[in-house]
Amino acid sequence: MRRVGVTDEELLVEVALTRLDHPDLDLEEIAELLVRKAGPDAVLEFASRNLAERGELRGAMFAAAVEHVIRVVLTLRGPSD
């Protein structure tokens, strides 16, 4: 996932595939792995999206990018049963 401009749905698929490869990791660890693998351009993009949604940048850019990935997963996954 080296390209920039991924949709939320594509991001969710990447998370699901990464989770299949690493079943012992929790969601935050999966998000960190995915953001790290995506590269610096994606970190900037995800942190920017997080800033746009929250109206503030809380913490470092990498942490904000991870937060965005987690927010997308939880939003698209829907309510838990």
Side-chain angles (χ1 to χ4, degrees):
M1 188 182 88
R2 291 265 177 214
R3 66 188 178 85
V4 179
V6 296
T7 66
D8 288 350
E9 290 79 10
E10 290 170 323
L11 186 57
L12 187 61
V13 169
E14 288 291 332
V15 168
L17 292 173
T18 304
R19 189 167 221 155
L20 286 173
D21 290 340
H22 305 279
D24 296 336
L25 299 180
D26 65 22
L27 179 57
E28 185 170 355
E29 292 168 320
I30 294 288
E32 289 173 359
L33 185 63
L34 186 68
V35 169
R36 197 169 286 114
K37 183 174 84 170
D41 290 339
V43 171
L44 180 59
E45 178 187 348
F46 296 157
S48 297
R49 289 184 192 180
N50 197 43
L51 173 61
E53 285 185 27
R54 296 188 63 81
E56 63 180 344
L57 189 58
R58 297 181 350 185
M61 200 168 38
F62 183 82
V66 170
E67 182 180 332
H68 172 72
V69 172
I70 293 171
R71 183 188 321 280
V72 167
V73 171
L74 295 177
T75 300
L76 293 179
R77 185 172 67 182
S80 62
D81 294 335

